[in-house]
Amino acid sequence: MRKPENILYGTGDKPPLQILLVLALQQMSFLGVYLVISPLFARELGLDPAQSLQLVSATLLASGLGVLLQTAKIFGIGSGYFCPLQATSSTFAGLILVKTHSGLSAVFGMVGVVGLAQMAFAWLFQRLRGVLTVQVAGLAVLLIGLGLGYYGIKLVLEADAGLELQQQGLLCALTLGTMIVFNVWSSGFLRLFSAFLGLLAGFIGSYALGAIPDGDWAIFHDAPLFYLPRPMNIGWSLDHHAILPAIITGLFLALHGFGALVAAQRFNDADWKRPDLQLVKQGILAEGLTNVCNSFLNGLPLTSSGGAVSLAASTGCTSRYLAYWLAALMAGIAFMPKAIVFWQILPLPVMGSALIFLASFTALSGLQVIASRLLDNRKTLALGIGLILGVSYEPVLRPFHQASAEALKTLLFSGVSLGVFVAVVLSALFQIRNHTREQRTFDAQHSSLDEVIVFLEQQGRIWGARPEIVRRAEHATWQAFEILTEHGLLDRQDGDSDKIRLQTIFNEYTFTVILGYSGKVLPLMTHPPSHEEMLNDEGAVLQMAGYLLHRLADQVRARHDGERCELRLIFND
């Protein structure tokens, strides 16, 4: 794994302690926007202030535990990447449905079942290599970026009624502008802290403009200094009505986690080619185990934060050591209500600007992943429909607000999970009659390079191979054509003597071209013939041709069965 140029501290690097502390504060500043989700949900459930504080503190504690599990990578649990967890308002529909039918305590029993469902789907995902492709992974990353940007714009434009439009625009310009200036026109430590400096500038601007209402400051002053969260303080029970919504919620949280974990892999490896589904499985297992523990703490369901992953990548530090400091910070804030309230009173335009900043990196990274592979009509339709439904999540959801079947709301979970789910289903459907082998016969004397290129590009699009691999295959295949014809290796006594059967085979890791013909086998050399051999041996020229062909492909194999010969060119994808 090669560290990208824009990453100053990679996964295994250990930054200085003072840098780790500031970067942890920067991550907490960003994740603080999601602290608002817990009070919002507490209001939906009708919790009293003590129960609301318990919900926020428990969710923070579980988030700290999840960061450690995700990074530690022990006993086959955790991806080893810096990938913090966050709560999401997308789980509200399923949780409120369970609360309505089974009571408040069943909500937290459902959180445990959500975790178990995530762990089950983690094992399933590892076996879905045929549908959880590179393109689907790119779609997931793209939808995470678009979702962050949409939510950021929404926070900026739908700010508190006390803020005037000019104040909202000024705070947005100040926060986003500061982040851009330090990220683009600075280097080293300043770029590492660009997001934190932007949030700090936004907070100072908010204070100067009086954008923080007096009522919020009063809540901050009245909050106690210390609070001790107690497990199952709100309640815990398991009801059979909660199982189906929990399984559906677990599925879509796992799909969302898949996108965030792929983004973490993509940001940390300059030579990234495809998602490592083993690490994806381990990462989702960590999420599931976190939610199982979270259910007994009485916290909200958690999933990997694509925004936090993007923040780490955009500022140049994805070190796993950052996770330990962030976990400690989350655990400490869980016991300090004043600190919790401080992040909740930060003006929405400031947080929205941070989301817009991060969305730019994530969305474009997803586009790069999709564009790294050739696409045929099947993949174009699967990804296109998934993308359209993903970005149209709210219009798709709107008709169900008045529907009598409340359970259908849990199926339309979030833009990321909905888009990825549709893309996966369509990809699986399009596997019907999608052969992994294709064969065509060419006339070696009269076929042109263009005919070979058209055939191989068509197969590359069908299978989603990388363009550079297909180009190498085209060049090597045509060289093989010329070697067979110019060196008299084809048997011209047979009526089909000049025919070459070209067969292509593709799997997740290799693109293989097989040339079948009647004649003599091509000698393959791993070392070129010497100068003396080239001058004195007539067969040395053919040996040199075999050696050069060996250099064009990752592997070359030749065999013969009587007069039937086979030349196999293998290219690692």
Side-chain angles (χ1 to χ4, degrees):
M1 185 172 69
R2 185 166 61 90
K3 185 170 66 176
E5 293 182 0
N6 65 309
I7 300 298
L8 187 59
Y9 297 105
T11 302
D13 298 332
K14 187 175 183 180
L17 292 180
Q18 62 271 24
I19 292 180
L20 285 173
L21 178 58
V22 177
L23 289 175
L25 286 170
Q26 178 174 258
Q27 285 285 343
M28 194 62 233
S29 299
F30 165 73
L31 291 169
V33 69
Y34 295 102
L35 292 179
V36 181
I37 292 176
S38 298
L40 287 176
F41 187 63
R43 193 177 306 136
E44 293 282 344
L45 295 178
L47 301 183
D48 58 42
Q51 291 175 322
S52 177
L53 185 56
Q54 167 69 28
L55 186 71
V56 178
S57 297
T59 304
L60 267 173
L61 278 177
S63 298
L65 173 63
V67 172
L68 290 178
L69 287 176
Q70 190 67 265
T71 309
K73 197 180 177 181
I74 55 175
F75 304 114
I77 297 176
S79 65
Y81 290 104
F82 176 75
C83 191
L85 305 186
Q86 67 177 54
T88 169
S89 59
S90 302
T91 60
F92 282 11
L95 295 175
I96 292 175
L97 180 67
V98 171
K99 191 257 183 182
T100 302
H101 287 287
S102 307
L104 181 60
S105 61
V107 168
F108 301 104
M110 174 188 171
V111 175
V113 180
V114 167
L116 294 175
Q118 284 177 280
M119 298 174 77
F121 286 118
W123 289 95
L124 178 62
F125 283 2
Q126 191 183 16
R127 289 158 176 79
L128 295 178
R129 296 182 182 274
V131 292
L132 290 177
T133 60
V134 174
Q135 297 93 329
V136 173
L139 175 65
V141 177
L142 173 60
L143 286 174
I144 286 176
L146 294 176
L148 288 172
Y150 174 81
Y151 189 43
I153 294 292
K154 189 175 180 181
L155 288 179
V156 170
L157 298 180
E158 297 182 7
D160 296 332
L163 286 177
E164 297 180 357
L165 183 61
Q166 294 84 349
Q167 290 179 312
Q168 295 175 211
L170 182 60
L171 288 177
C172 179
L174 178 62
T175 305
L176 186 58
T178 303
M179 292 179 180
I180 291 174
V181 167
F182 284 106
N183 190 269
V184 175
W185 288 290
S186 66
S187 59
F189 296 152
L190 289 177
R191 190 169 72 86
L192 282 173
F193 307 140
S194 56
F196 180 77
L197 293 172
L199 290 170
L200 182 62
F203 179 78
I204 294 174
S206 302
Y207 183 81
L209 293 173
I212 302 177
D214 294 336
D216 289 348
W217 285 116
I219 295 174
F220 174 75
H221 287 299
D222 294 340
L225 290 174
F226 180 80
Y227 173 77
L228 181 63
R230 290 172 290 172
M232 295 191 289
N233 188 36
I234 302 176
W236 194 96
S237 65
L238 189 60
D239 189 274
H240 69 277
H241 292 102
I243 293 177
L244 181 58
I247 292 175
I248 295 172
T249 301
L251 169 62
F252 287 112
L253 284 183
L255 289 171
H256 188 280
F258 167 76
L261 290 164
V262 168
Q265 294 179 20
R266 174 70 178 83
F267 288 139
N268 282 279
D269 188 0
D271 300 320
W272 186 87
K273 295 179 181 178
R274 64 181 61 84
D276 187 333
L277 294 184
Q278 173 64 25
L279 292 182
V280 169
K281 182 197 78 172
Q282 294 177 192
I284 298 176
L285 283 175
E287 291 185 29
L289 182 58
T290 299
N291 280 327
V292 171
C293 298
N294 197 14
S295 70
F296 297 104
L297 291 172
N298 286 173
L300 290 177
L302 299 169
T303 187
S304 294
S305 173
V309 171
S310 303
L311 174 61
S314 65
T315 54
C317 180
T318 58
S319 171
R320 64 168 57 97
Y321 295 95
L322 177 57
Y324 306 137
W325 281 86
L326 179 60
L329 190 60
M330 285 178 166
I333 293 177
F335 296 93
M336 297 185 294
K338 280 189 180 296
I340 295 174
V341 174
F342 176 78
W343 264 282
Q344 293 176 359
I345 66 175
L346 198 63
L348 296 182
V350 176
M351 300 308 301
S353 302
L355 292 177
I356 295 171
F357 174 74
L358 302 177
S360 304
F361 293 92
T362 309
L364 268 295
S365 177
L367 279 177
Q368 289 175 341
V369 172
I370 296 174
S372 69
R373 300 283 172 145
L374 296 175
L375 302 176
D376 67 338
N377 290 342
R378 298 175 187 236
K379 290 181 173 58
T380 299
L381 285 171
L383 298 176
I385 294 174
L387 176 62
I388 291 170
L389 290 177
V391 299
S392 306
Y393 169 67
E394 289 198 357
V396 170
L397 185 65
R398 193 173 297 125
F400 294 99
H401 285 323
Q402 303 299 326
S404 58
E406 290 288 328
L408 287 177
K409 292 182 181 179
T410 61
L411 293 173
L412 304 174
F413 187 72
S414 70
V416 176
S417 52
L418 175 61
V420 173
F421 178 72
V422 171
V424 167
V425 171
L426 290 178
S427 296
L429 179 64
F430 291 154
Q431 292 297 313
I432 299 174
R433 300 187 66 183
N434 187 22
H435 305 294
T436 58
R437 292 173 179 259
E438 193 67 33
Q439 180 173 299
R440 185 173 298 178
T441 301
F442 291 86
D443 187 332
Q445 297 294 334
H446 301 96
S447 295
S448 66
L449 173 61
D450 289 340
E451 291 176 311
V452 175
I453 288 176
V454 168
F455 173 67
L456 292 178
E457 282 191 347
Q458 180 184 14
Q459 301 312 306
R461 284 193 297 270
I462 291 173
W463 295 323
R466 287 187 293 140
E468 59 268 27
I469 294 298
V470 178
R471 300 291 177 267
R472 288 178 57 201
E474 292 167 356
H475 180 53
T477 302
W478 187 248
Q479 291 299 313
F481 265 67
E482 293 185 335
I483 292 172
L484 294 177
T485 55
E486 293 178 4
H487 291 275
L489 296 179
L490 298 177
D491 188 355
R492 299 184 181 276
Q493 297 178 357
D494 192 343
D496 294 332
S497 59
D498 290 342
K499 302 295 184 182
I500 297 179
R501 297 189 322 276
L502 199 61
Q503 183 180 22
T504 54
I505 305 174
F506 184 80
N507 60 31
E508 185 184 359
Y509 302 105
T510 59
F511 186 95
T512 304
V513 180
I514 302 174
L515 293 88
Y517 61 95
S518 298
K520 300 175 184 178
V521 68
L522 172 66
L524 298 176
M525 306 291 293
T526 57
H527 301 284
S530 65
H531 296 290
E532 292 77 10
E533 291 173 331
M534 290 291 293
L535 292 173
N536 302 322
D537 186 358
E538 294 182 358
V541 176
L542 184 58
Q543 294 175 5
M544 175 61 78
Y547 166 73
L548 293 176
L549 188 63
H550 210 288
R551 296 293 300 270
L552 292 174
D554 294 299
Q555 299 179 56
V556 181
R557 299 171 187 169
R559 69 181 185 89
H560 66 94
D561 182 10
E563 293 185 353
R564 301 302 301 174
C565 298
E566 179 183 286
L567 180 62
R568 185 179 295 250
L569 309 175
I570 302 174
F571 305 88
N572 295 331
D573 191 35

